[in-house]
Amino acid sequence: MIIVGIVAVCVVLAVLAFFVPKLSRHPERGTQRTLGLGSRAGGKAPGVMGRAFSKPFRSSSKAVGRSGSAGRRARWRMPF
């Protein structure tokens, strides 16, 4: 269920970044900040478990950043 939520957030950010690139930065940063909190909380577990618990949040944060930048990049490559 969480995977579906992250995919939905990425799609919304990509579309938002395509249509309003400057206004897409704030939601992207807010989402990354929220995922960063989860990563830091998961990382407090000891040893290997800490890395395992924080990894999904780190990879989701990277995906959010990539989808936002891809939307903005696609916007600037349009011929009109």
Side-chain angles (χ1 to χ4, degrees):
M1 195 66 182
I2 292 175
I3 294 171
V4 173
I6 295 297
V7 169
V9 167
C10 288
V11 168
V12 167
L13 278 174
V15 170
L16 186 65
F18 184 79
F19 287 114
V20 247
K22 289 186 179 183
L23 294 178
S24 70
R25 298 256 184 203
H26 188 71
E28 179 183 340
R29 288 184 185 143
T31 305
Q32 286 181 332
R33 185 175 299 135
T34 303
L35 291 169
L37 287 173
S39 177
R40 283 192 298 276
K44 290 184 190 247
V48 177
M49 293 300 287
R51 286 190 296 275
F53 287 155
S54 68
K55 185 175 180 178
F57 293 103
R58 282 193 316 252
S59 60
S60 296
S61 180
K62 284 185 203 175
V64 166
R66 273 190 238 127
S67 67
S69 67
R72 285 186 290 275
R73 193 170 49 244
R75 168 66 181 251
W76 298 121
R77 289 183 181 179
M78 293 300 290
F80 47 86

